[in-house]
Amino acid sequence: MSVSILVVDDEPDVAELFRQRCRRETRQGTYVMHFAASGVEALDRLVGEIELTLIAVLSDINMPGMDGLQLLNEIKQRRPDLPVMMVTAYGDDERRRRASELGAFEFITKPVDFDKLRKQLLNLPSAAD
């Protein structure tokens, strides 16, 4: 069974990095990767384009318009059980605290350790179902 992962980042090279680093899982049908370049685009995709097998959202914090913390808040209001992992180059304590208060499942610092990320995705509550 394939599971969907939504990656939200305003930098186009991040989507390409995830495509490259998750190529094996995508080819095997383990993951279906979805990408959004903004918080607004991510919310639109969550409403209509991504199937119910979505297991996680990985979101950058620093984005123009709706930032990742605002997106996290919106997602948690709409789908409280959906794990959201915050990804940022800036791992300061205030952002971690705020992300945790808003219900972030995990806080990942760039550059992403993809081996660690794969293990985290396998351990998500909905991934075991």
PDB file of all heavy atoms in Angstrom, residues 92-123:
ATOM      1  N   ASP A  92      16.265  27.172  16.264  1.00  0.00           N
ATOM      2  CA  ASP A  92      16.297  27.874  17.543  1.00  0.00           C
ATOM      3  C   ASP A  92      15.197  27.374  18.485  1.00  0.00           C
ATOM      4  O   ASP A  92      14.199  26.810  18.065  1.00  0.00           O
ATOM      5  CB  ASP A  92      16.205  29.388  17.336  1.00  0.00           C
ATOM      6  CG  ASP A  92      14.885  29.821  16.742  1.00  0.00           C
ATOM      7  OD1 ASP A  92      13.901  29.883  17.506  1.00  0.00           O
ATOM      8  OD2 ASP A  92      14.831  30.091  15.531  1.00  0.00           O
ATOM      9  N   ASP A  93      15.419  27.592  19.772  1.00  0.00           N
ATOM     10  CA  ASP A  93      14.520  27.093  20.809  1.00  0.00           C
ATOM     11  C   ASP A  93      13.122  27.688  20.723  1.00  0.00           C
ATOM     12  O   ASP A  93      12.137  27.001  20.994  1.00  0.00           O
ATOM     13  CB  ASP A  93      15.109  27.367  22.197  1.00  0.00           C
ATOM     14  CG  ASP A  93      16.333  26.513  22.479  1.00  0.00           C
ATOM     15  OD1 ASP A  93      16.491  25.452  21.842  1.00  0.00           O
ATOM     16  OD2 ASP A  93      17.134  26.908  23.347  1.00  0.00           O
ATOM     17  N   GLU A  94      13.012  28.960  20.363  1.00  0.00           N
ATOM     18  CA  GLU A  94      11.692  29.599  20.286  1.00  0.00           C
ATOM     19  C   GLU A  94      10.824  28.946  19.213  1.00  0.00           C
ATOM     20  O   GLU A  94       9.641  28.687  19.421  1.00  0.00           O
ATOM     21  CB  GLU A  94      11.840  31.099  20.011  1.00  0.00           C
ATOM     22  CG  GLU A  94      10.517  31.827  19.833  1.00  0.00           C
ATOM     23  CD  GLU A  94       9.570  31.725  21.030  1.00  0.00           C
ATOM     24  OE1 GLU A  94      10.027  31.495  22.159  1.00  0.00           O
ATOM     25  OE2 GLU A  94       8.345  31.856  20.819  1.00  0.00           O
ATOM     26  N   ARG A  95      11.404  28.662  18.049  1.00  0.00           N
ATOM     27  CA  ARG A  95      10.635  27.998  16.984  1.00  0.00           C
ATOM     28  C   ARG A  95      10.241  26.590  17.395  1.00  0.00           C
ATOM     29  O   ARG A  95       9.134  26.142  17.118  1.00  0.00           O
ATOM     30  CB  ARG A  95      11.435  27.960  15.694  1.00  0.00           C
ATOM     31  CG  ARG A  95      11.604  29.309  15.052  1.00  0.00           C
ATOM     32  CD  ARG A  95      12.577  29.207  13.898  1.00  0.00           C
ATOM     33  NE  ARG A  95      13.152  30.487  13.576  1.00  0.00           N
ATOM     34  CZ  ARG A  95      12.795  31.213  12.541  1.00  0.00           C
ATOM     35  NH1 ARG A  95      11.891  30.784  11.714  1.00  0.00           N
ATOM     36  NH2 ARG A  95      13.363  32.367  12.325  1.00  0.00           N
ATOM     37  N   ARG A  96      11.147  25.881  18.034  1.00  0.00           N
ATOM     38  CA  ARG A  96      10.828  24.532  18.520  1.00  0.00           C
ATOM     39  C   ARG A  96       9.676  24.587  19.521  1.00  0.00           C
ATOM     40  O   ARG A  96       8.759  23.769  19.483  1.00  0.00           O
ATOM     41  CB  ARG A  96      12.044  23.890  19.190  1.00  0.00           C
ATOM     42  CG  ARG A  96      13.087  23.425  18.231  1.00  0.00           C
ATOM     43  CD  ARG A  96      14.236  22.764  19.002  1.00  0.00           C
ATOM     44  NE  ARG A  96      15.338  22.463  18.140  1.00  0.00           N
ATOM     45  CZ  ARG A  96      15.453  21.331  17.448  1.00  0.00           C
ATOM     46  NH1 ARG A  96      14.530  20.420  17.534  1.00  0.00           N
ATOM     47  NH2 ARG A  96      16.492  21.134  16.678  1.00  0.00           N
ATOM     48  N   ARG A  97       9.749  25.522  20.455  1.00  0.00           N
ATOM     49  CA  ARG A  97       8.699  25.663  21.467  1.00  0.00           C
ATOM     50  C   ARG A  97       7.361  25.960  20.816  1.00  0.00           C
ATOM     51  O   ARG A  97       6.354  25.322  21.113  1.00  0.00           O
ATOM     52  CB  ARG A  97       9.061  26.773  22.463  1.00  0.00           C
ATOM     53  CG  ARG A  97       8.045  26.925  23.592  1.00  0.00           C
ATOM     54  CD  ARG A  97       8.269  28.187  24.404  1.00  0.00           C
ATOM     55  NE  ARG A  97       8.110  29.409  23.631  1.00  0.00           N
ATOM     56  CZ  ARG A  97       6.924  29.905  23.212  1.00  0.00           C
ATOM     57  NH1 ARG A  97       5.810  29.264  23.479  1.00  0.00           N
ATOM     58  NH2 ARG A  97       6.878  31.034  22.540  1.00  0.00           N
ATOM     59  N   ARG A  98       7.356  26.913  19.897  1.00  0.00           N
ATOM     60  CA  ARG A  98       6.107  27.303  19.221  1.00  0.00           C
ATOM     61  C   ARG A  98       5.553  26.145  18.391  1.00  0.00           C
ATOM     62  O   ARG A  98       4.354  25.878  18.435  1.00  0.00           O
ATOM     63  CB  ARG A  98       6.373  28.522  18.324  1.00  0.00           C
ATOM     64  CG  ARG A  98       5.139  29.069  17.678  1.00  0.00           C
ATOM     65  CD  ARG A  98       4.249  29.776  18.684  1.00  0.00           C
ATOM     66  NE  ARG A  98       3.109  30.308  17.976  1.00  0.00           N
ATOM     67  CZ  ARG A  98       1.852  30.054  18.313  1.00  0.00           C
ATOM     68  NH1 ARG A  98       1.584  29.336  19.367  1.00  0.00           N
ATOM     69  NH2 ARG A  98       0.876  30.550  17.615  1.00  0.00           N
ATOM     70  N   ALA A  99       6.424  25.448  17.658  1.00  0.00           N
ATOM     71  CA  ALA A  99       5.986  24.306  16.850  1.00  0.00           C
ATOM     72  C   ALA A  99       5.402  23.218  17.748  1.00  0.00           C
ATOM     73  O   ALA A  99       4.367  22.624  17.430  1.00  0.00           O
ATOM     74  CB  ALA A  99       7.147  23.767  16.022  1.00  0.00           C
ATOM     75  N   SER A 100       6.040  22.969  18.872  1.00  0.00           N
ATOM     76  CA  SER A 100       5.541  21.961  19.808  1.00  0.00           C
ATOM     77  C   SER A 100       4.180  22.356  20.369  1.00  0.00           C
ATOM     78  O   SER A 100       3.267  21.529  20.459  1.00  0.00           O
ATOM     79  CB  SER A 100       6.553  21.785  20.945  1.00  0.00           C
ATOM     80  OG  SER A 100       6.108  20.827  21.852  1.00  0.00           O
ATOM     81  N   GLU A 101       4.029  23.622  20.746  1.00  0.00           N
ATOM     82  CA  GLU A 101       2.743  24.115  21.261  1.00  0.00           C
ATOM     83  C   GLU A 101       1.623  23.937  20.240  1.00  0.00           C
ATOM     84  O   GLU A 101       0.481  23.670  20.602  1.00  0.00           O
ATOM     85  CB  GLU A 101       2.844  25.595  21.623  1.00  0.00           C
ATOM     86  CG  GLU A 101       3.611  25.876  22.877  1.00  0.00           C
ATOM     87  CD  GLU A 101       3.782  27.370  23.128  1.00  0.00           C
ATOM     88  OE1 GLU A 101       3.386  28.201  22.278  1.00  0.00           O
ATOM     89  OE2 GLU A 101       4.341  27.716  24.196  1.00  0.00           O
ATOM     90  N   LEU A 102       1.958  24.103  18.967  1.00  0.00           N
ATOM     91  CA  LEU A 102       0.949  23.991  17.910  1.00  0.00           C
ATOM     92  C   LEU A 102       0.685  22.547  17.491  1.00  0.00           C
ATOM     93  O   LEU A 102      -0.199  22.295  16.684  1.00  0.00           O
ATOM     94  CB  LEU A 102       1.378  24.818  16.693  1.00  0.00           C
ATOM     95  CG  LEU A 102       1.360  26.327  16.897  1.00  0.00           C
ATOM     96  CD1 LEU A 102       2.010  27.035  15.715  1.00  0.00           C
ATOM     97  CD2 LEU A 102      -0.068  26.827  17.101  1.00  0.00           C
ATOM     98  N   GLY A 103       1.449  21.611  18.038  1.00  0.00           N
ATOM     99  CA  GLY A 103       1.174  20.202  17.766  1.00  0.00           C
ATOM    100  C   GLY A 103       2.085  19.535  16.756  1.00  0.00           C
ATOM    101  O   GLY A 103       1.737  18.483  16.213  1.00  0.00           O
ATOM    102  N   ALA A 104       3.267  20.109  16.499  1.00  0.00           N
ATOM    103  CA  ALA A 104       4.195  19.483  15.564  1.00  0.00           C
ATOM    104  C   ALA A 104       4.617  18.122  16.099  1.00  0.00           C
ATOM    105  O   ALA A 104       4.867  17.952  17.289  1.00  0.00           O
ATOM    106  CB  ALA A 104       5.423  20.358  15.346  1.00  0.00           C
ATOM    107  N   PHE A 105       4.686  17.145  15.203  1.00  0.00           N
ATOM    108  CA  PHE A 105       5.116  15.805  15.565  1.00  0.00           C
ATOM    109  C   PHE A 105       6.626  15.758  15.773  1.00  0.00           C
ATOM    110  O   PHE A 105       7.123  15.069  16.641  1.00  0.00           O
ATOM    111  CB  PHE A 105       4.702  14.817  14.463  1.00  0.00           C
ATOM    112  CG  PHE A 105       5.116  13.406  14.729  1.00  0.00           C
ATOM    113  CD1 PHE A 105       4.377  12.619  15.593  1.00  0.00           C
ATOM    114  CD2 PHE A 105       6.235  12.864  14.123  1.00  0.00           C
ATOM    115  CE1 PHE A 105       4.758  11.308  15.855  1.00  0.00           C
ATOM    116  CE2 PHE A 105       6.617  11.561  14.380  1.00  0.00           C
ATOM    117  CZ  PHE A 105       5.878  10.786  15.241  1.00  0.00           C
ATOM    118  N   GLU A 106       7.344  16.505  14.948  1.00  0.00           N
ATOM    119  CA  GLU A 106       8.812  16.466  14.973  1.00  0.00           C
ATOM    120  C   GLU A 106       9.337  17.788  14.447  1.00  0.00           C
ATOM    121  O   GLU A 106       8.663  18.492  13.704  1.00  0.00           O
ATOM    122  CB  GLU A 106       9.303  15.324  14.092  1.00  0.00           C
ATOM    123  CG  GLU A 106      10.783  15.053  14.151  1.00  0.00           C
ATOM    124  CD  GLU A 106      11.251  14.544  15.505  1.00  0.00           C
ATOM    125  OE1 GLU A 106      10.797  13.472  15.937  1.00  0.00           O
ATOM    126  OE2 GLU A 106      12.068  15.246  16.121  1.00  0.00           O
ATOM    127  N   PHE A 107      10.562  18.115  14.820  1.00  0.00           N
ATOM    128  CA  PHE A 107      11.237  19.319  14.359  1.00  0.00           C
ATOM    129  C   PHE A 107      12.550  18.871  13.745  1.00  0.00           C
ATOM    130  O   PHE A 107      13.403  18.323  14.445  1.00  0.00           O
ATOM    131  CB  PHE A 107      11.481  20.261  15.541  1.00  0.00           C
ATOM    132  CG  PHE A 107      11.862  21.647  15.157  1.00  0.00           C
ATOM    133  CD1 PHE A 107      10.904  22.630  15.007  1.00  0.00           C
ATOM    134  CD2 PHE A 107      13.190  21.985  14.964  1.00  0.00           C
ATOM    135  CE1 PHE A 107      11.254  23.924  14.670  1.00  0.00           C
ATOM    136  CE2 PHE A 107      13.558  23.269  14.628  1.00  0.00           C
ATOM    137  CZ  PHE A 107      12.579  24.239  14.478  1.00  0.00           C
ATOM    138  N   ILE A 108      12.714  19.030  12.441  1.00  0.00           N
ATOM    139  CA  ILE A 108      13.871  18.542  11.708  1.00  0.00           C
ATOM    140  C   ILE A 108      14.701  19.728  11.233  1.00  0.00           C
ATOM    141  O   ILE A 108      14.175  20.658  10.639  1.00  0.00           O
ATOM    142  CB  ILE A 108      13.422  17.696  10.495  1.00  0.00           C
ATOM    143  CG1 ILE A 108      12.567  16.521  10.974  1.00  0.00           C
ATOM    144  CG2 ILE A 108      14.620  17.223   9.690  1.00  0.00           C
ATOM    145  CD1 ILE A 108      11.833  15.808   9.864  1.00  0.00           C
ATOM    146  N   THR A 109      16.001  19.667  11.489  1.00  0.00           N
ATOM    147  CA  THR A 109      16.894  20.731  11.069  1.00  0.00           C
ATOM    148  C   THR A 109      17.555  20.363   9.749  1.00  0.00           C
ATOM    149  O   THR A 109      17.971  19.222   9.558  1.00  0.00           O
ATOM    150  CB  THR A 109      17.975  20.974  12.151  1.00  0.00           C
ATOM    151  OG1 THR A 109      17.318  21.261  13.389  1.00  0.00           O
ATOM    152  CG2 THR A 109      18.855  22.139  11.791  1.00  0.00           C
ATOM    153  N   LYS A 110      17.615  21.341   8.832  1.00  0.00           N
ATOM    154  CA  LYS A 110      18.305  21.143   7.555  1.00  0.00           C
ATOM    155  C   LYS A 110      19.796  21.187   7.790  1.00  0.00           C
ATOM    156  O   LYS A 110      20.243  21.925   8.671  1.00  0.00           O
ATOM    157  CB  LYS A 110      17.909  22.240   6.553  1.00  0.00           C
ATOM    158  CG  LYS A 110      16.477  22.172   6.100  1.00  0.00           C
ATOM    159  CD  LYS A 110      16.175  23.332   5.154  1.00  0.00           C
ATOM    160  CE  LYS A 110      14.738  23.352   4.698  1.00  0.00           C
ATOM    161  NZ  LYS A 110      14.437  24.498   3.845  1.00  0.00           N
ATOM    162  N   PRO A 111      20.593  20.457   7.064  1.00  0.00           N
ATOM    163  CA  PRO A 111      20.193  19.553   5.996  1.00  0.00           C
ATOM    164  C   PRO A 111      19.522  18.307   6.576  1.00  0.00           C
ATOM    165  O   PRO A 111      19.908  17.813   7.637  1.00  0.00           O
ATOM    166  CB  PRO A 111      21.505  19.188   5.298  1.00  0.00           C
ATOM    167  CG  PRO A 111      22.553  19.374   6.347  1.00  0.00           C
ATOM    168  CD  PRO A 111      22.052  20.484   7.233  1.00  0.00           C
ATOM    169  N   VAL A 112      18.506  17.824   5.883  1.00  0.00           N
ATOM    170  CA  VAL A 112      17.713  16.694   6.342  1.00  0.00           C
ATOM    171  C   VAL A 112      18.553  15.420   6.307  1.00  0.00           C
ATOM    172  O   VAL A 112      19.197  15.119   5.311  1.00  0.00           O
ATOM    173  CB  VAL A 112      16.454  16.531   5.462  1.00  0.00           C
ATOM    174  CG1 VAL A 112      15.682  15.279   5.843  1.00  0.00           C
ATOM    175  CG2 VAL A 112      15.569  17.767   5.568  1.00  0.00           C
ATOM    176  N   ASP A 113      18.519  14.682   7.405  1.00  0.00           N
ATOM    177  CA  ASP A 113      19.130  13.355   7.471  1.00  0.00           C
ATOM    178  C   ASP A 113      18.058  12.380   6.981  1.00  0.00           C
ATOM    179  O   ASP A 113      17.140  12.023   7.726  1.00  0.00           O
ATOM    180  CB  ASP A 113      19.556  13.049   8.909  1.00  0.00           C
ATOM    181  CG  ASP A 113      20.161  11.668   9.084  1.00  0.00           C
ATOM    182  OD1 ASP A 113      19.913  10.772   8.245  1.00  0.00           O
ATOM    183  OD2 ASP A 113      20.869  11.472  10.079  1.00  0.00           O
ATOM    184  N   PHE A 114      18.149  11.956   5.721  1.00  0.00           N
ATOM    185  CA  PHE A 114      17.090  11.159   5.112  1.00  0.00           C
ATOM    186  C   PHE A 114      16.976   9.762   5.710  1.00  0.00           C
ATOM    187  O   PHE A 114      15.880   9.202   5.755  1.00  0.00           O
ATOM    188  CB  PHE A 114      17.250  11.112   3.590  1.00  0.00           C
ATOM    189  CG  PHE A 114      16.744  12.350   2.931  1.00  0.00           C
ATOM    190  CD1 PHE A 114      17.574  13.440   2.740  1.00  0.00           C
ATOM    191  CD2 PHE A 114      15.420  12.463   2.531  1.00  0.00           C
ATOM    192  CE1 PHE A 114      17.099  14.611   2.158  1.00  0.00           C
ATOM    193  CE2 PHE A 114      14.930  13.622   1.956  1.00  0.00           C
ATOM    194  CZ  PHE A 114      15.772  14.695   1.759  1.00  0.00           C
ATOM    195  N   ASP A 115      18.060   9.190   6.203  1.00  0.00           N
ATOM    196  CA  ASP A 115      17.966   7.886   6.865  1.00  0.00           C
ATOM    197  C   ASP A 115      17.143   8.009   8.149  1.00  0.00           C
ATOM    198  O   ASP A 115      16.279   7.184   8.424  1.00  0.00           O
ATOM    199  CB  ASP A 115      19.360   7.331   7.172  1.00  0.00           C
ATOM    200  CG  ASP A 115      20.110   6.926   5.914  1.00  0.00           C
ATOM    201  OD1 ASP A 115      19.451   6.545   4.909  1.00  0.00           O
ATOM    202  OD2 ASP A 115      21.353   7.004   5.914  1.00  0.00           O
ATOM    203  N   LYS A 116      17.412   9.048   8.907  1.00  0.00           N
ATOM    204  CA  LYS A 116      16.643   9.297  10.134  1.00  0.00           C
ATOM    205  C   LYS A 116      15.184   9.602   9.795  1.00  0.00           C
ATOM    206  O   LYS A 116      14.272   9.108  10.460  1.00  0.00           O
ATOM    207  CB  LYS A 116      17.270  10.455  10.904  1.00  0.00           C
ATOM    208  CG  LYS A 116      16.597  10.760  12.216  1.00  0.00           C
ATOM    209  CD  LYS A 116      17.304  11.886  12.947  1.00  0.00           C
ATOM    210  CE  LYS A 116      16.581  12.231  14.228  1.00  0.00           C
ATOM    211  NZ  LYS A 116      17.234  13.353  14.928  1.00  0.00           N
ATOM    212  N   LEU A 117      14.957  10.390   8.748  1.00  0.00           N
ATOM    213  CA  LEU A 117      13.598  10.727   8.342  1.00  0.00           C
ATOM    214  C   LEU A 117      12.813   9.476   7.964  1.00  0.00           C
ATOM    215  O   LEU A 117      11.659   9.323   8.350  1.00  0.00           O
ATOM    216  CB  LEU A 117      13.611  11.716   7.169  1.00  0.00           C
ATOM    217  CG  LEU A 117      12.243  12.082   6.600  1.00  0.00           C
ATOM    218  CD1 LEU A 117      11.356  12.729   7.651  1.00  0.00           C
ATOM    219  CD2 LEU A 117      12.406  12.996   5.395  1.00  0.00           C
ATOM    220  N   ARG A 118      13.430   8.568   7.224  1.00  0.00           N
ATOM    221  CA  ARG A 118      12.742   7.323   6.845  1.00  0.00           C
ATOM    222  C   ARG A 118      12.298   6.548   8.087  1.00  0.00           C
ATOM    223  O   ARG A 118      11.183   6.023   8.136  1.00  0.00           O
ATOM    224  CB  ARG A 118      13.655   6.460   5.986  1.00  0.00           C
ATOM    225  CG  ARG A 118      13.788   6.945   4.574  1.00  0.00           C
ATOM    226  CD  ARG A 118      14.704   6.024   3.756  1.00  0.00           C
ATOM    227  NE  ARG A 118      14.938   6.553   2.432  1.00  0.00           N
ATOM    228  CZ  ARG A 118      15.956   7.341   2.111  1.00  0.00           C
ATOM    229  NH1 ARG A 118      16.862   7.683   3.007  1.00  0.00           N
ATOM    230  NH2 ARG A 118      16.075   7.790   0.876  1.00  0.00           N
ATOM    231  N   LYS A 119      13.154   6.475   9.085  1.00  0.00           N
ATOM    232  CA  LYS A 119      12.807   5.775  10.330  1.00  0.00           C
ATOM    233  C   LYS A 119      11.648   6.475  11.032  1.00  0.00           C
ATOM    234  O   LYS A 119      10.741   5.831  11.560  1.00  0.00           O
ATOM    235  CB  LYS A 119      14.018   5.684  11.244  1.00  0.00           C
ATOM    236  CG  LYS A 119      15.080   4.742  10.728  1.00  0.00           C
ATOM    237  CD  LYS A 119      16.310   4.764  11.597  1.00  0.00           C
ATOM    238  CE  LYS A 119      17.403   3.907  10.958  1.00  0.00           C
ATOM    239  NZ  LYS A 119      18.692   4.077  11.610  1.00  0.00           N
ATOM    240  N   GLN A 120      11.675   7.804  11.039  1.00  0.00           N
ATOM    241  CA  GLN A 120      10.590   8.560  11.675  1.00  0.00           C
ATOM    242  C   GLN A 120       9.268   8.318  10.958  1.00  0.00           C
ATOM    243  O   GLN A 120       8.233   8.166  11.595  1.00  0.00           O
ATOM    244  CB  GLN A 120      10.923  10.049  11.697  1.00  0.00           C
ATOM    245  CG  GLN A 120      12.056  10.396  12.634  1.00  0.00           C
ATOM    246  CD  GLN A 120      12.559  11.809  12.454  1.00  0.00           C
ATOM    247  OE1 GLN A 120      12.722  12.283  11.340  1.00  0.00           O
ATOM    248  NE2 GLN A 120      12.824  12.478  13.567  1.00  0.00           N
ATOM    249  N   LEU A 121       9.310   8.269   9.633  1.00  0.00           N
ATOM    250  CA  LEU A 121       8.089   8.038   8.865  1.00  0.00           C
ATOM    251  C   LEU A 121       7.531   6.648   9.130  1.00  0.00           C
ATOM    252  O   LEU A 121       6.310   6.458   9.191  1.00  0.00           O
ATOM    253  CB  LEU A 121       8.351   8.236   7.366  1.00  0.00           C
ATOM    254  CG  LEU A 121       8.606   9.674   6.934  1.00  0.00           C
ATOM    255  CD1 LEU A 121       9.081   9.724   5.482  1.00  0.00           C
ATOM    256  CD2 LEU A 121       7.356  10.538   7.121  1.00  0.00           C
ATOM    257  N   LEU A 122       8.395   5.664   9.309  1.00  0.00           N
ATOM    258  CA  LEU A 122       7.946   4.306   9.604  1.00  0.00           C
ATOM    259  C   LEU A 122       7.295   4.212  10.975  1.00  0.00           C
ATOM    260  O   LEU A 122       6.458   3.345  11.207  1.00  0.00           O
ATOM    261  CB  LEU A 122       9.112   3.333   9.534  1.00  0.00           C
ATOM    262  CG  LEU A 122       9.612   2.980   8.138  1.00  0.00           C
ATOM    263  CD1 LEU A 122      10.872   2.125   8.234  1.00  0.00           C
ATOM    264  CD2 LEU A 122       8.541   2.260   7.344  1.00  0.00           C
ATOM    265  N   ASN A 123       7.676   5.099  11.878  1.00  0.00           N
ATOM    266  CA  ASN A 123       7.158   5.058  13.238  1.00  0.00           C
ATOM    267  C   ASN A 123       5.934   5.936  13.487  1.00  0.00           C
ATOM    268  O   ASN A 123       5.469   6.036  14.615  1.00  0.00           O
ATOM    269  CB  ASN A 123       8.259   5.421  14.236  1.00  0.00           C
ATOM    270  CG  ASN A 123       9.314   4.340  14.309  1.00  0.00           C
ATOM    271  OD1 ASN A 123       8.991   3.160  14.313  1.00  0.00           O
ATOM    272  ND2 ASN A 123      10.570   4.740  14.344  1.00  0.00           N
TER     273      ASN A 123
END
